[in-house]
Amino acid sequence: TLDAIRDGILHGHYAEGKPLRQDALADELGVSRIPIREALRQLETEGLVTFNPHRGAIVSTLSLEEIEEVFDLRASIESDLLRRAIPHLTTHQLDQADEVLERYAVALRTGEVAKWGVLNWQFHASLYAPAARPVTMNIVQRLHQQSDRYLRMQLALTHGETRANEEHRAIAAAARAHDTKRACQLVRDHIAGAGRSLLAFLRERREQDTNGRASTRARATRGEE
């Protein structure tokens, strides 16, 4: 049930901003409302669903301007965190980051979409932790949660897994070499590049959705005539 609803959101079967009716989902998936309710709560923690007091569960949405702002903030804040962290990174911490990358690579290869956001955050957080900036880390974690749904959608539908994996490995290698300037530039480029790709993907997708709705309305009007 959880995987079916998540997959439907990621692939656009359940559109952004649209309500997710528990009764309708239960009928569609052939289950009771209890697993539907549990699945929606889990998807809320993943950032894919929000709960509105009047409309119930809704597929999460961000404006393109908000997404651009999120990635601008991430690029700036995370490169600063890494700059502060690198002088204090230990071999053990770097090994932990590499281990996360191994699990992330497996999850990307096997299409385990639910793990992508968690492992992506674990990798970035493992490199930033030695900066000892807990307030900043909390801000960055919230920014990750806001953008994760769209990044997972982009990776799932455009097959950008290889690029993401290679960029992460380059960042980890520069951090291990204590090449602060290169590592920070790679993080900034990685985040900014992901943001640009994501915005281009969403603009195209939303334009297609708009054109599709306009075409449907036009056909309906002709039918009335």
Side-chain angles (χ1 to χ4, degrees):
T1 300
L2 173 62
D3 289 342
I5 299 174
R6 182 192 293 115
D7 190 64
I9 292 172
L10 286 172
H11 288 82
H13 178 60
Y14 308 121
E16 294 172 301
K18 296 299 182 183
L20 293 164
R21 307 292 184 198
Q22 292 187 24
D23 288 344
L25 287 170
D27 289 343
E28 180 184 341
L29 299 175
V31 297
S32 72
R33 289 182 59 181
I34 294 173
I36 296 293
R37 191 180 306 119
E38 292 172 351
L40 292 176
R41 288 298 179 189
Q42 173 60 34
L43 292 169
E44 182 187 25
T45 69
E46 295 179 16
L48 295 178
V49 168
T50 55
F51 279 85
N52 180 293
H54 305 294
R55 300 176 67 200
I58 297 168
V59 179
S60 299
T61 185
L62 284 175
S63 72
L64 296 179
E65 291 76 18
E66 287 171 326
I67 292 169
E68 185 172 21
E69 184 179 358
V70 164
F71 278 87
D72 284 347
L73 282 168
R74 279 192 54 200
S76 177
I77 297 171
E78 292 184 45
S79 58
D80 181 66
L81 275 175
L82 187 58
R83 177 182 63 80
R84 295 172 184 273
I86 282 178
H88 308 289
L89 274 168
T90 65
T91 300
H92 175 66
Q93 288 168 324
L94 289 161
D95 288 345
Q96 284 182 317
D98 284 342
E99 192 271 330
V100 172
L101 276 189
E102 289 299 328
R103 288 189 283 128
Y104 190 25
V106 171
L108 288 171
R109 260 197 325 272
T110 56
E112 294 176 274
V113 177
K115 295 182 179 179
W116 293 357
V118 174
L119 291 170
N120 182 58
W121 168 245
Q122 285 180 4
F123 168 68
H124 283 269
S126 66
L127 293 181
Y128 306 153
R133 307 277 283 189
V135 175
T136 310
M137 284 287 280
N138 283 335
I139 292 169
V140 170
Q141 185 170 17
R142 288 200 298 274
L143 293 173
H144 270 253
Q145 289 169 341
Q146 283 183 285
S147 57
D148 267 354
R149 178 248 172 144
Y150 298 97
L151 276 174
R152 287 198 299 272
M153 179 189 289
Q154 184 213 358
L155 286 174
L157 299 182
T158 64
H159 305 292
E161 302 96 328
T162 301
R163 176 181 165 185
N165 196 35
E166 288 174 352
E167 290 179 356
H168 280 151
R169 291 193 181 282
I171 292 165
R176 188 176 288 276
H178 287 268
D179 188 339
T180 303
K181 183 177 179 180
R182 175 169 169 75
C184 291
Q185 189 59 53
L186 285 170
V187 161
R188 186 179 287 274
D189 291 347
H190 167 64
I191 295 168
R196 284 193 300 271
S197 297
L198 181 55
L199 285 167
F201 167 76
L202 288 174
R203 282 194 185 99
E204 182 180 354
R205 186 182 184 109
R206 290 178 182 184
E207 186 177 324
Q208 288 173 349
D209 289 345
T210 301
N211 291 339
R213 286 193 296 271
S215 176
T216 299
R217 285 196 298 271
R219 286 197 299 271
T221 300
R222 287 195 299 271
E224 290 168 1
E225 293 171 356

